[in-house]
Structures are given as structure tokens and as C-alpha cells.
Amino acid sequence: IYDLWIMRSFVNRVAVITGTGSGIGRALALALAPQGCRLVLADPDTDERATIDRVVDVSVYVVDLSDALARQIFAEQVGFRHGT
């Protein structure tokens, strides 16, 4: 499975990643950014500066994904902005 993940092209793909202020979410964002992936970062906190400053094509949303209405609005915003 790992080899297939490496072989796959992420150029111009949109990745929605949560919890990007630190940990696995941040590591994933930093790994996908140099591969040409368009990133949508979602986190309930706004302290994502360390991640944002290291990537180029990024959209940031402060959203509580445990709230169903917030998830719906977030999905619509991402679809409108990124076309997918």
C-alpha cells in the first residue's frame, strides 16, 4: 500500500486535512504541499501559522467539525472555491 501511495500523483488534487496545527495533520500537509497538492486546512484553532508559512497553495478554515451544520457549510465552501 505504501508504494502505491508514493507512486500516485497529487498534482492539482485537493486535500482536506484537519488538525494541521501539529502532529499527523501537520506532517501530512507538509508532505503533500511539495507534490503540487492544493491544501485545505481545517482546525478549530487559528494557530496554524507554522504549517501555513511552509506551504504555497493553501486555504485555511477555522471550523469545528464536530458540528454538523459547520461541516455542511465547510464542504460547500470548499466545493465552491476548489471546484471539488
Side-chain angles (χ1 to χ4, degrees):
I1 295 175
Y2 180 73
D3 291 336
L4 293 175
W5 186 82
I6 289 176
M7 298 297 288
R8 189 170 183 185
S9 174
F10 291 98
V11 175
N12 291 322
R13 301 269 178 132
V14 176
V16 177
I17 307 171
T18 62
T20 53
S22 64
I24 294 171
R26 181 172 187 245
L28 183 57
L30 296 176
L32 289 175
Q35 296 185 45
C37 194
R38 298 182 342 227
L39 301 179
V40 177
L41 309 182
D43 203 284
D45 299 318
T46 58
D47 188 21
E48 298 184 32
R49 196 84 247 156
T51 304
I52 296 166
D53 288 343
R54 296 182 63 185
V55 297
V56 176
D57 191 0
V58 63
S59 302
V60 178
Y61 295 83
V62 178
V63 59
D64 178 1
L65 295 175
S66 67
D67 179 321
L69 180 58
R71 277 193 312 269
Q72 176 71 29
I73 293 168
F74 171 63
E76 289 172 4
Q77 289 174 336
V78 170
F80 179 76
R81 180 164 184 187
H82 297 281
T84 185

